Amino acid sequence: MRYVYPAILTPDKEVADWYLIRFPDLEGCETEDGDLYGALFRAAEVLNEFMTKLEDTGAKIPEPTDIRNIKVDGDEIVTLIKADTDAYRLIRAKITTM
């Protein structure tokens, strides 16, 4: 399945070039990483992991909030992150067989 969810990237106030990433529609789906590009890649990775777990357990998949309705503080960034759990499963399967 394919998904697109809004994510909020919050710069760490104590560590330069470090971001906290959370998905407001997905409780517990969060991560952190250094520099903006690394944070975006990590966000996609954690979203794939999270959505795969939801599918595997048969949990209800929440509807994503329209990105235009997400309010953030001045230094936060809101963006869309995509996940493709079918592709993620294939990649994970190849890694485990190597």
Side-chain angles (χ1 to χ4, degrees), residues 19 46 71 78:
Y19 289 87
V46 78
K71 307 295 183 227
V78 63

Side-chain angles (χ1 to χ4, degrees), residues 9-49:
L9 287 77
T10 305
D12 191 301
K13 293 183 183 350
E14 297 176 15
V15 180
D17 295 326
W18 196 259
Y19 289 87
L20 307 173
I21 305 128
R22 64 186 168 87
F23 292 86
D25 298 309
L26 305 170
E27 187 175 335
C29 186
E30 53 191 43
T31 190
E32 56 187 285
D33 206 319
D35 81 62
L36 184 58
Y37 297 106
L40 291 170
F41 280 105
R42 182 69 186 127
E45 186 175 273
V46 78
L47 181 60
N48 271 295
E49 291 169 4

Side-chain angles (χ1 to χ4, degrees), residues 19-88:
Y19 289 87
L20 307 173
I21 305 128
R22 64 186 168 87
F23 292 86
D25 298 309
L26 305 170
E27 187 175 335
C29 186
E30 53 191 43
T31 190
E32 56 187 285
D33 206 319
D35 81 62
L36 184 58
Y37 297 106
L40 291 170
F41 280 105
R42 182 69 186 127
E45 186 175 273
V46 78
L47 181 60
N48 271 295
E49 291 169 4
F50 193 87
M51 299 310 290
T52 298
K53 286 180 186 176
L54 289 181
E55 290 175 357
D56 289 349
T57 62
K60 183 177 184 301
I61 307 290
E63 288 292 320
T65 299
D66 186 318
I67 193 170
R68 295 170 291 190
N69 296 332
I70 296 182
K71 307 295 183 227
V72 295
D73 292 334
D75 61 346
E76 293 181 313
I77 300 166
V78 63
T79 189
L80 295 171
I81 304 293
K82 68 176 184 163
D84 182 336
T85 56
D86 295 331
Y88 179 76

